[in-house]
Amino acid sequence: MQIVPAHERVRAFEFDPAMPSGALPIFGEYLDRIGRTITNQRLAGWPFVLLGFSQFFTGTGIAIPVFLIVLFGFFQVFWLHRGRVGVPEKRLKRERFRRVDIAADGLVASGRTVGVRLADGRWLRVRLDEAFRLLLAGDRRVWLLGSGPKVFVGFPGVVRVRRARIHDTPPAHAVAVPQTAWSASPRLDPVLAAHRRRRARETWEAAAFLLALAGFATWVRLDFPADDGATGFVVLVFTGLAVLALAAAIGVALRSVAYLGPQPADHWTELRAVPDGPVRVSPHGSARVSGLTMLADGRVVPFRIHDADPSTAANVAATGRLWIAGVPRPGRSATGVPGYPVLGTVRLG
C-alpha cells in the first residue's frame, strides 16, 4: 500500500491517438450509449409537448397543458444541449484524437474562457469551470478531435469531451496562466475542492428542479377537482408525484451538504485493482466496474463502483489502480484520482 508523494502526478486515463475515437475502450461505448439515449429522448419528448398544446383546447384548464409543456420542453432542451456540447458527430468516430502539449506561455484565460496556443499559432478557445482550469494549469495536455474550426477537447483523466472552437487570436483580455503545483492531500487538493463545489452546485440545481416539479404537480392537483372517477385518478397521480418530488428534492439537497466542505482525508492510499470484466456504461452515461483489490493486511477483497461518473470507472480500468481517500476499510469509501476532477464512491468487501 502506497501513499502518493506530493511532487509526483499519478497515472490517469488518457485518450489513445493510435485508434479511431469510436473504437477506444470505454469512451467508444460511452458515446454509443449516450448518443442512443439522446436520440430516443428527443423522439419521445415531442409527443408530450404536442399533447400539452392540444390540452389547451379540451377544456381541462391550463395546469395540465402548462405542466406537460414545461416539463417535457425542459427535457428536450436538456438533451439537445447535452448532445450538442458533449457528443461528437458520428463521422468523428472514425477520426483519431490529437494530443496537444501546452507550452509554458501557451495557456491563457479570460473569465471562464480558456485559450490554448496550438502548434500552428492559432488558439483553441473553450469555456471551462474552475476545476478544469486548475487541471490544465497543472497538467498541460489536451486532446483534440476534429479537423475544422469546431473541435471537441478531451482532458487527462476525464472521459467526457467538450465542444470548442479554433481562432486566430487568443480570447480578448486574456492573461497568462502560470503552471501550478498540486497537493497529494485530498483535503488540500485545489482541483478536487473545485470539483466538489461544482458537484454541490449540480445537486442544488437538481433539488431546485425537483422542487419546481413538486410545485407544478401540486398546481395540477388543485386545478383538477376530484368530482368523478377519471378526475379522481388524475388527482391521485399528481398528489403522489408531488409528494415523491418533494421527498426527492429534500434528499438531494441533503446530499449536496456533503460536497460543501473539503474532503476530510489528509492522504490518498493507492491499491492495486484487478477488474473482473470491462466497464459497463448505462444508457444515461453512468458506469460501473467491479473486481478485486488487496488491503494492507494482505486480505483480498472485492470492490464495486456502481452508478458512477464514467471517468471514475475508466481510471480504475485504464491504470489498474484504486485510490482511496484516507485509510481503506470494508464498506463505502471515497475514491478518485489525485490531482484530477474525478470523484466517486467505492464499496470494499
Side-chain angles (χ1 to χ4, degrees):
M1 185 180 300
Q2 300 175 352
I3 298 174
V4 61
H7 63 279
E8 295 181 5
R9 182 171 288 276
V10 303
R11 287 180 57 209
F13 168 84
E14 296 182 0
F15 295 99
D16 187 355
M19 62 179 66
S21 64
L24 292 175
I26 305 172
F27 179 74
E29 183 184 1
Y30 168 76
L31 286 187
D32 291 339
R33 291 296 182 91
I34 198 69
R36 286 196 297 268
T37 298
I38 289 173
T39 300
N40 294 338
Q41 293 290 341
R42 289 174 180 175
L43 295 176
W46 283 117
F48 290 97
V49 175
L50 297 177
L51 177 63
F53 280 108
S54 69
Q55 291 297 305
F56 282 115
F57 308 100
T58 60
T60 58
I62 65 170
I64 281 187
V66 170
F67 176 83
L68 291 173
I69 292 171
V70 172
L71 177 62
F72 290 97
F74 170 83
F75 282 118
Q76 287 294 96
V77 172
F78 171 80
W79 287 109
L80 286 170
H81 173 75
R82 186 170 182 182
R84 179 186 178 278
V85 173
V87 180
E89 296 83 355
K90 289 185 178 180
R91 63 178 179 82
L92 293 178
K93 293 183 179 181
R94 299 189 295 268
E95 298 189 16
R96 303 180 181 185
F97 280 96
R98 309 188 311 276
R99 174 172 163 170
V100 175
D101 293 312
I102 305 174
D105 59 349
L107 182 66
V108 298
S110 176
R112 292 188 60 186
T113 302
V114 173
V116 175
R117 191 177 64 209
L118 305 178
D120 58 8
R122 295 184 297 168
W123 287 83
L124 173 77
R125 297 187 191 178
V126 57
R127 289 181 61 82
L128 299 175
D129 56 48
E130 182 186 8
F132 282 85
R133 295 196 299 270
L134 291 171
L135 172 64
L136 289 190
D139 190 341
R140 296 187 166 229
R141 297 172 298 159
V142 293
W143 285 262
L144 302 186
L145 180 62
S147 55
K150 297 180 180 179
V151 296
F152 283 86
V153 185
F155 305 91
V158 181
V159 170
R160 292 189 175 98
V161 293
R162 305 283 186 90
R163 185 180 291 271
R165 295 182 66 94
I166 296 177
H167 297 262
D168 293 328
T169 60
H173 311 296
V175 296
V177 178
Q179 187 158 5
T180 58
W182 62 281
S183 173
S185 166
R187 183 172 56 84
L188 302 177
D189 189 336
V191 177
L192 181 59
H195 185 55
R196 288 173 62 85
R197 289 192 291 270
R198 179 191 175 192
R199 293 284 292 270
R201 289 193 300 270
E202 291 174 345
T203 51
W204 278 113
E205 291 168 359
F209 170 76
L210 290 169
L211 190 61
L213 180 61
F216 268 114
T218 302
W219 181 30
V220 174
R221 186 253 179 270
L222 296 176
D223 194 56
F224 237 91
D227 54 5
D228 57 47
T231 56
F233 176 74
V234 173
V235 168
L236 180 64
V237 169
F238 280 92
T239 300
L241 179 60
V243 172
L244 290 176
L246 180 60
I250 295 173
V252 171
L254 291 176
R255 189 174 64 183
S256 70
V257 175
Y259 294 121
L260 295 179
Q263 169 60 246
D266 286 321
H267 69 270
W268 289 100
T269 302
E270 180 186 9
L271 303 176
R272 294 184 180 274
V274 181
D276 57 14
V279 173
R280 297 169 292 280
V281 182
S282 75
H284 290 83
S286 62
R288 60 186 185 274
V289 64
S290 58
L292 298 175
T293 187
M294 180 180 290
L295 302 181
D297 57 7
R299 284 184 298 163
V300 176
V301 299
F303 73 87
R304 297 182 300 279
I305 298 176
H306 185 66
D307 288 337
D309 184 290
S311 300
T312 304
N315 278 283
V316 174
T319 66
R321 296 292 185 270
L322 181 63
W323 292 93
I324 305 296
V327 179
R329 296 183 178 89
R332 293 167 61 91
S333 300
T335 184
V337 182
Y340 294 87
V342 178
L343 182 64
T345 302
V346 60
R347 178 172 290 277
L348 299 176

